[in-house]
Amino acid sequence: MQMNELGRTGLKVSRLCLGTMTFGEQNTQAEGHRQLDMAFENGVNFIDTAEMYSFPGKPETQGATEKIIGAWMKAKANRSDVIVATKITGPGSGLKHVRGGRLGFTRENVAEAVDLSLQRLGTDYIDLYQTHWPERPANYFGKLDYVHDEAADLTPMEEQLDALAAQVKAGKVRAIGISNETPWGMMKFLEIAERAGLPRIASIQNPYNLICRTFEVGLSEIAIREDCGLLAYSPLAFGALTGKYLNGQKPDNSRHHLFPQFSRYFKPNGIKATESYMRLARDHGLGRDALIGKLEVVYRRAIEDHHFTAAVARPVGVQIADGGNHAVGPPAKAVQVALVEGSGRVVSKVGFVLKQAKK
């Protein structure tokens, strides 16, 4: 497993990050621990979670994922070998169960959220602490057509950054990051940090896949020039790019079957794009199993882009990654987990890559 530096922090993280939002909902604690064991054994040292998980957020499972990770680290006595990333929940409907609905990024709320996450994780520090989405109204989670609200009651961004800085100063957080952020928000945080002498954001966790390539428009240049790398989540577009949901299929226990309300990648144009990618794969003689094996080459090529820090894999199971019938040797197991179940950053030159993979 190759490692990348997390921004300018000096922290070294694996190029695959194990996303854990299914722990406590689609996965039991035992299943979550098995995934963590396998990832760790194959060189993954980077784990991502959030205070609101399990997914989807609800009172009964809020905080469960952090507790499962904490129990695993305690059992393995490996805290110093793991880079743990978690997130503070932003404002939104249906989230009053998270800290009583106190979701603005004020100094008090950030301090409370950090302390609660530390308790659930069973640790005294968090390696990477991220805002899950902006406090201000903005375009994220697939939203288009930005609508400005000048009257919105918001925590000033300098105060937000100062609140995060206080946790760094207290030794409870080692590095800070953002998620589901816009180019303006990313640059604003960087500008404030430089002007006010506050900690820089080290990473941005946004979606990136063959259906959603918006990161390329305004964020990739910032990521490169400012050493603030991408943690790419949903690189298989909620599983859509596996092709398993085409023709109206919804396999039992699949995410889209269980949670159909999350339809970002299943609208007409997304389905049309997925069908085109599947045809392209078939045209080059790659069925699903062969494509999974060959895409390891694609993944290794893609992550050479230096604005890419890690891919956040959110597997549901490990049965495919344990070997299966794919022609991928043991060193690639962790890569295979990502490609099969939720990660791997596939670049846009798909035709060229598939031709190379066919050789």
Side-chain angles (χ1 to χ4, degrees):
M1 178 61 63
Q2 292 179 287
M3 312 296 281
N4 279 341
E5 184 172 348
L6 183 66
R8 299 176 183 174
T9 66
L11 297 175
K12 297 292 185 180
V13 298
S14 51
R15 283 179 166 180
L16 288 179
C17 172
L18 182 63
T20 58
M21 71 180 189
T22 61
F23 294 6
E25 178 67 41
Q26 286 180 269
N27 292 118
T28 64
Q29 176 166 301
E31 291 168 342
H33 285 189
R34 186 176 173 219
Q35 290 184 29
L36 287 160
D37 284 342
M38 184 184 174
F40 195 67
E41 289 163 6
N42 285 276
V44 175
N45 76 336
F46 197 10
I47 301 169
D48 180 72
T49 185
E51 67 166 342
M52 70 170 287
Y53 293 162
S54 300
F55 172 88
K58 56 186 180 181
E60 298 83 357
T61 58
Q62 190 263 316
T65 304
E66 289 183 328
K67 291 178 182 177
I68 290 172
I69 295 168
W72 176 76
M73 292 191 296
K74 181 178 180 180
K76 299 295 180 179
N78 64 356
R79 177 63 186 94
S80 62
D81 298 320
V82 180
I83 302 295
V84 177
T86 192
K87 311 180 196 76
I88 181 172
T89 306
S93 61
L95 294 170
K96 290 187 180 298
H97 60 279
V98 180
R99 291 180 284 105
R102 298 180 296 278
L103 303 178
F105 299 148
T106 65
R107 196 179 185 95
E108 296 77 14
N109 291 348
V110 170
E112 180 186 21
V114 167
D115 285 344
L116 289 172
S117 285
L118 289 172
Q119 291 175 24
R120 289 187 290 263
L121 289 164
T123 184
D124 57 2
Y125 67 96
I126 295 164
D127 296 289
L128 175 64
Y129 197 64
Q130 307 156 97
T131 54
H132 205 151
W133 58 83
E135 180 183 326
R136 68 188 190 281
N139 288 0
Y140 48 85
F141 298 145
K143 180 183 175 182
L144 300 175
D145 190 19
Y146 171 71
V147 177
H148 190 66
D149 183 1
E150 193 67 43
D153 183 18
L154 305 173
T155 308
M157 292 179 73
E158 186 161 343
E159 183 178 333
Q160 296 179 33
L161 196 57
D162 185 66
L164 294 168
Q167 298 304 304
V168 174
K169 185 176 182 179
K172 297 179 180 181
V173 169
R174 298 176 75 187
I176 59 173
I178 51 178
S179 183
N180 297 296
E181 191 50 276
T182 67
W184 181 85
M186 187 177 185
M187 280 304 302
K188 191 67 175 176
F189 277 121
L190 288 165
E191 182 270 325
I192 292 170
E194 183 173 353
R195 171 170 48 80
L198 295 171
R200 301 177 93 253
I201 54 171
S203 60
I204 176 169
Q205 185 174 157
N206 272 34
Y208 185 81
N209 56 60
L210 287 171
I211 299 176
C212 176
R213 293 172 54 193
T214 54
F215 192 87
E216 298 174 16
V217 178
L219 286 163
S220 58
E221 181 181 8
I222 303 171
I224 293 170
R225 294 185 183 277
E226 298 293 336
D227 296 322
C228 186
L230 169 65
L231 307 182
Y233 81 79
S234 203
L236 285 184
F238 226 62
L241 289 170
T242 65
K244 65 184 177 183
Y245 296 122
L246 290 179
N247 303 313
Q249 297 181 87
K250 290 186 180 180
D252 290 344
N253 298 318
S254 66
R255 196 174 299 163
H256 191 39
H257 173 78
L258 294 171
F259 315 118
Q261 66 271 36
F262 298 98
S263 58
R264 190 189 328 180
Y265 299 114
F266 302 99
K267 296 174 181 177
N269 284 339
I271 294 171
K272 187 182 298 184
T274 301
E275 290 172 340
S276 296
Y277 290 130
M278 292 301 107
R279 281 196 300 272
L280 183 61
R282 287 194 297 270
D283 289 346
H284 289 86
L286 297 176
R288 184 175 183 272
D289 285 0
L291 183 61
I292 289 168
K294 297 297 185 182
L295 276 177
E296 182 189 354
V297 178
V298 181
Y299 175 77
R300 291 186 186 279
R301 181 187 298 268
I303 60 179
E304 291 172 0
D305 292 350
H306 63 281
H307 70 271
F308 177 80
T309 299
V312 183
R314 288 166 177 159
V316 174
V318 296
Q319 67 275 16
I320 297 177
D322 277 335
N325 297 315
H326 306 304
V328 181
K333 281 185 179 178
V335 174
Q336 196 175 339
V337 174
L339 291 172
V340 174
E341 296 290 355
S343 194
R345 179 176 177 275
V346 185
V347 292
S348 57
K349 296 181 180 178
V350 183
F352 168 77
V353 170
L354 290 177
K355 288 176 184 176
Q356 295 298 307
K358 188 177 179 182
K359 292 182 180 179

